[in-house]
Amino acid sequence: MISTIDTPHQCHIDWLIKNGVTTMAMVNPEAMLLAQGERAPDGRFEPEENGMFWFVFEELDDVVFWHPRSNRLATLDGRAFALGQDAIWNASTYSFDGHLNIFSDPLDWLRAKRDGCVVLDWTRAFDRLAGAPRVSVDEKVLFLYRRHMHPPQLPELYVLQTNGRAAA
């Protein structure tokens, strides 16, 4: 992992609470951590001892970093599709007519007690979200959702002619 990972300082915790984030959202399902670094041009996080402070969230196959002041996101390995992506495949997300909530930014996601996700890579949205039975989308990202919720490429279609009849 990264050697500059630490627990959030009191000033960071106070800022989150002031902005409507509960203590439970800070620690559940995994405790938020803190790292110092920068976002590289490829979207990856680069640790730096005297860099800016970023909140750290562990995902199943990656680590996601969020810099609240700039609202920038970065990943450790570039594998994470979304912050909170476990909600996409969790059956309890959809139980009792529940929806997968898609938030526009991590602060809103945290205010909602991590009930949903924040999409990091909209180019993978169709493949990752097409199987979700119900989705609620923050209006700030509705355009992105609609733009990306179709197959990236459909095959070219030809019609076979058999015995003078068209077949498809």
Side-chain angles (χ1 to χ4, degrees):
M1 181 87 158
I2 297 172
S3 62
T4 58
I5 298 270
D6 196 2
T7 56
H9 304 151
Q10 190 62 48
C11 64
H12 299 112
I13 294 168
D14 291 344
W15 181 86
L16 287 165
I17 291 171
K18 179 182 173 189
N19 282 280
V21 178
T22 65
T23 305
M24 199 57 136
M26 292 181 221
V27 299
N28 190 26
E30 296 285 330
M32 292 171 47
L33 298 171
L34 196 67
Q36 287 183 271
E38 298 293 331
R39 183 179 191 268
D42 65 357
R44 305 278 173 86
F45 183 78
E46 291 183 356
E48 289 182 12
E49 255 184 67
N50 297 313
M52 298 184 296
F53 286 104
W54 295 67
F55 287 112
V56 180
F57 303 91
E58 291 185 48
E59 291 294 329
L60 184 61
D61 59 352
D62 207 345
V63 179
V64 177
F65 300 84
W66 170 49
H67 183 255
R69 189 171 300 202
S70 65
N71 206 27
R72 293 177 69 189
L73 294 158
T75 63
L76 184 62
D77 296 319
R79 291 190 301 253
F81 157 72
L83 178 59
Q85 64 189 17
D86 290 347
I88 298 167
W89 305 285
N90 190 333
S92 67
T93 299
Y94 311 101
S95 63
F96 304 108
D97 292 326
H99 297 213
L100 171 65
N101 299 314
I102 300 176
F103 295 94
S104 62
D105 64 69
L107 186 57
D108 285 341
W109 175 71
L110 286 166
R111 286 179 185 137
K113 300 180 178 104
R114 301 187 190 194
D115 181 21
C117 67
V118 178
V119 175
L120 306 172
D121 182 358
W122 283 99
T123 63
R124 295 189 274 170
F126 180 80
D127 291 334
R128 299 294 180 99
L129 300 173
R134 289 174 299 283
V135 176
S136 293
V137 180
D138 183 331
E139 65 183 341
K140 292 177 254 180
V141 292
L142 184 58
F143 174 78
L144 286 169
Y145 178 84
R146 286 184 172 150
R147 186 169 131 206
H148 290 282
M149 282 309 289
H150 56 81
Q153 181 178 349
L154 293 172
E156 194 171 336
L157 178 65
Y158 295 91
V159 178
L160 296 173
Q161 297 289 322
T162 58
N163 296 333
R165 289 192 235 149

